Amino acid sequence: MSLLWYLLWFVIAVGLLVTVHEFGHFWVARRLGFKVLRFSVGFGRPLLKRVAGPDRVEYVVGALPLGGYVKLLDEREGPVAASELSRSFTRRPSWQRIAVLLAGPLFNILFAVLVLWVMLWINGVNELRPVIGEVAAGSLAAQAGLRANDEIIAMDGTPVHAQRDVSLGLLDAMSSRGVISFGVRGSGGDARTVTLSVPDAQQRHRLTEPAELFRGLGFQFGPPMPPVLGTVEPGKPAARAGLLSGDRILAIDGVRISTFTELADYINARPGAHARIDYERGGVRHSTELQVAADGAVGKPVGRIYIHNPTSIKIPDSFISHRALGPVAALGHAAAEAWSMTELQARLFWRMILGRVSVKNLSGPLSIAQFAGESAEAGAAAFLGMLVLLSLSLGFLNLLPIPILDGGQILFQLVEWLKGSPLSERAQAFGQQVGIGLLILLMSVALYNDIARQFS
């Protein structure tokens, strides 16, 4: 997909979520009697501008679609007519100011619940059963006693129904004590309990890095992906050896290959090696030889032949569970899901501050743009799901007690409410400077992660 495609859907997603956020501030401010001067989506030079209503509110679309704001009447920013002082931000009761500041994040969370509700009402709950497909020999999962075709039915005594439940539970466990108990049901129907333990703190920290959790633990969910080639990059080792998309790899150097993971592991472990590939095309067996490339972009050299797994393999119906939901049940499920995701997000963010979760999980505009473009390409459901995640993240981040964000401003208002007088201008200015510094630090780390992902 092109950069323009990513950019288009990034602007659409950010513009929509910013509009929802700022509309929350705007709507509550108007209902509580504050005077609104401007409602802007985007910053910089106005591309579109309309003045309407008895208060002559300016509705603006700015040239830079990376944020927005609602400007309220405020005597700290200029003289205010005596007749309108009662509608100034500083003259309204503290609880009303807090309500206006809370409304933006709250509307993002409510928007996520609304979108989830509609999706669940229409499509029901479609979940992938947590059936284990592959367990690497000698891995942490193998040592714990997990086996291929086991179905995980509980974690620390709590029933689980989907692969996502297991993924989030594992991430939670690896960012805390590093011990988790699985209730599993074997392929023969026998139930047993196994305990997975990672006592080393550094190893647990590595497992919290993006895409490292299951790779580091040594298991993947099923069904096992066959060793069939998807995209074969032109001009690279596999393409030069004559391999094509759709070829099924049978063996490498005489070693039988049964899954795509076995294929990847074998090649990854042999940078620079000469390999003989046996493969099947159209029912006919062929052989070829190639030189494995050595990719050192991420530290220790890793073998690459530049192939990708196919994306069109159909998941068997036996691995999918479906539940239809009525409107009431769908709303309850959507609210519970939004709360669960926001709570987990807060917990993991706190552990990131404590150093238990990798800061590599922070994503900046490049990753978000790629996420938006790829989800739009995948269809409406994927794009709406992406909007839910981003909206919940935007709501949560704006509640952080950083002075430049809504959460920091709420903190200022709470302090003023408790002490009976505003914080000094000096204290507020210092808080704003600290907030800007923290925000720049977060954005810098996120942008560094974006660039590192592009090169790796």
Side-chain angles (χ1 to χ4, degrees), residues 305-365:
I305 59 174
Y306 297 95
I307 58 173
H308 302 273
N309 55 292
T311 57
S312 59
I313 293 178
K314 186 179 185 301
I315 298 174
D317 292 339
S318 60
F319 280 82
I320 302 174
S321 64
H322 173 78
R323 283 182 294 148
L325 297 175
V328 176
L331 180 58
H333 195 93
E337 188 78 2
W339 168 255
S340 175
M341 285 191 284
T342 303
E343 182 191 27
L344 179 64
Q345 190 173 203
R347 194 159 61 244
L348 294 178
F349 188 83
W350 176 243
R351 291 175 185 172
M352 188 182 297
I353 293 173
L354 297 177
R356 298 178 187 172
V357 173
S358 174
V359 296
K360 293 181 180 179
N361 290 284
L362 288 175
S363 295

Side-chain angles (χ1 to χ4, degrees), residues 70-126:
V70 171
K71 185 177 181 180
L72 304 177
L73 185 68
D74 192 327
E75 59 192 298
R76 295 170 299 181
E77 298 181 3
V80 175
S83 60
E84 293 193 321
L85 273 177
S86 63
R87 301 185 67 193
S88 172
F89 182 83
T90 53
R91 298 299 180 100
R92 306 302 297 176
S94 294
W95 72 266
Q96 291 188 359
R97 284 179 262 162
I98 292 171
V100 170
L101 292 166
L102 272 173
L106 181 61
F107 267 53
N108 279 126
I109 294 171
L110 290 176
F111 173 78
V113 172
L114 177 63
V115 174
L116 265 177
W117 176 43
V118 174
M119 293 175 67
L120 291 171
W121 188 4
I122 294 174
N123 299 322
V125 178
N126 295 294

Side-chain angles (χ1 to χ4, degrees), residues 217-382:
L217 293 175
F219 78 95
Q220 298 291 334
F221 288 119
M225 185 172 291
V228 176
L229 305 188
T231 303
V232 178
E233 295 189 24
K236 301 295 185 179
R240 290 200 300 268
L243 293 173
L244 300 174
S245 176
D247 289 347
R248 185 186 185 98
I249 306 301
L250 304 175
I252 306 177
D253 297 331
V255 177
R256 184 171 175 270
I257 300 295
S258 302
T259 68
F260 197 91
T261 301
E262 290 179 0
L263 165 61
D265 289 345
Y266 192 94
I267 294 297
N268 292 164
R270 290 164 176 78
H274 187 82
R276 178 182 177 82
I277 310 288
D278 296 321
Y279 63 97
E280 184 181 88
R281 180 185 298 165
V284 179
R285 186 179 182 120
H286 303 271
S287 293
T288 187
E289 296 184 358
L290 54 76
Q291 186 82 24
V292 179
D295 182 357
V298 290
K300 182 180 177 181
V302 174
R304 303 279 192 228
I305 59 174
Y306 297 95
I307 58 173
H308 302 273
N309 55 292
T311 57
S312 59
I313 293 178
K314 186 179 185 301
I315 298 174
D317 292 339
S318 60
F319 280 82
I320 302 174
S321 64
H322 173 78
R323 283 182 294 148
L325 297 175
V328 176
L331 180 58
H333 195 93
E337 188 78 2
W339 168 255
S340 175
M341 285 191 284
T342 303
E343 182 191 27
L344 179 64
Q345 190 173 203
R347 194 159 61 244
L348 294 178
F349 188 83
W350 176 243
R351 291 175 185 172
M352 188 182 297
I353 293 173
L354 297 177
R356 298 178 187 172
V357 173
S358 174
V359 296
K360 293 181 180 179
N361 290 284
L362 288 175
S363 295
L366 298 180
S367 294
I368 295 172
Q370 183 176 356
F371 187 23
E374 289 175 351
S375 61
E377 182 75 13

Side-chain angles (χ1 to χ4, degrees), residues 40 79 112 196 312 400 451 454:
S40 178
L196 193 155
S312 59
L400 293 176
I451 296 171
Q454 297 304 315

Side-chain angles (χ1 to χ4, degrees), residues 368-391:
I368 295 172
Q370 183 176 356
F371 187 23
E374 289 175 351
S375 61
E377 182 75 13
F383 185 72
L384 290 174
M386 181 271 304
L387 283 179
V388 168
L389 292 175
L390 288 184
S391 196

